[in-house]
Amino acid sequence: MNKLAALALAGVFATVASVSQAVTITVTADGTFTPPPGSSFVLEDFESLGGTLDDAIPTAVGTFQAAGAVGSGGTVIPTAGDLVVRNDNAGGRFDVVGGAFYLDTNDNEAVIWNVDTGSAFDTIVFSITDATDVGATLTITADGGSTKSVDLSGLDNGNLQLITVKFGAVIPTASIVLENSKINDGFGLDGAYVGVVPLPASALLMLGGLGAIGALRLRRKA
């Protein structure tokens, strides 16, 4: 991409993101998600990442990063401090989408999901299993230009929660922070959907026109 096109793309995102945002987070108990017909979603079900053990795990929907204090509970897989993609039932955590694997927090205090698919988006949906069943409170914070938080607490062992985040605008990246009030109360993440939104036709025409101008200038210089 030439510099003019890159600047135009940045301008499009800046213009869209400047729209007043109202981030909302909805929690649905025992819910599972299927993208509506005709919609465009990028899915990470962790099936191709089975066995991955690292403090930062890149995926199709961005990078998941371990953060905060390091857990040492009975389900922790060495090395402590890493996240792990596993396919067993770890103290109530389990696969939700895809058939076998899910991302386990490995009893770390927090997980930061830097959402990035390479396309703009306005919605994300993901499943959490076995959260806050041993007295912790899990705070979910979504930041996509403005910030919204919700708390989960007092849930049963092996519970399933569907989290839906709507950003109120089309944005290129966002951050989701999931933080426990205490360590050794791990949870699982699976079925991470990001609702991608194509650039408006006017923006594509602008990018195409600027790209042509850039190419013409390069030919003149040559």
Side-chain angles (χ1 to χ4, degrees):
M1 181 184 294
N2 61 54
K3 289 183 178 179
L4 283 173
L7 288 171
L9 183 59
V12 169
F13 281 142
T15 300
V16 173
S18 67
V19 176
S20 177
Q21 297 179 46
V23 178
T24 60
I25 303 177
T26 304
V27 181
T28 305
D30 299 318
T32 55
F33 180 70
T34 301
S39 59
S40 297
F41 280 84
V42 177
L43 166 66
E44 181 56 68
D45 59 10
F46 300 100
E47 298 303 313
S48 65
L49 297 168
T52 302
L53 180 68
D54 207 335
D55 65 342
I57 299 181
T59 75
V61 294
T63 300
F64 292 83
Q65 173 82 51
V70 175
S72 59
T75 62
V76 170
I77 296 177
T79 321
D82 287 338
L83 304 175
V84 60
V85 180
R86 61 198 301 170
N87 64 350
D88 56 345
N89 187 314
R93 281 95 82 184
F94 53 88
D95 175 83
V96 179
V97 174
F101 290 96
Y102 63 95
L103 180 69
D104 183 25
T105 62
N106 212 23
D107 282 6
N108 285 288
E109 181 182 21
V111 176
I112 301 171
W113 174 15
N114 293 307
V115 187
D116 187 355
T117 67
S119 300
F121 57 89
D122 61 0
T123 303
I124 67 170
V125 184
F126 60 100
S127 294
I128 296 179
T129 58
D130 197 46
T132 69
D133 62 320
V134 294
T137 296
L138 176 65
T139 301
I140 305 170
T141 303
D143 184 357
S146 60
T147 301
K148 175 73 174 180
S149 295
V150 298
D151 292 339
L152 300 178
S153 60
L155 301 177
D156 294 333
N157 181 57
N159 67 83
L160 170 63
Q161 310 295 320
L162 183 70
I163 313 299
T164 303
V165 182
K166 294 184 178 294
F167 292 98
V170 179
I171 56 176
T173 60
S175 177
I176 307 295
V177 180
L178 304 104
E179 183 175 8
N180 264 323
S181 61
K182 61 188 255 185
I183 59 173
N184 296 337
D185 186 18
F187 53 92
L189 297 172
D190 200 15
Y193 292 86
V194 177
V196 297
V197 179
L199 284 174
S202 58
L204 293 175
L205 286 173
M206 182 173 66
L207 289 175
L210 288 173
I213 293 171
L216 180 59
R217 286 183 176 178
L218 288 175
R219 283 198 296 271
R220 285 178 176 175
K221 287 182 179 179

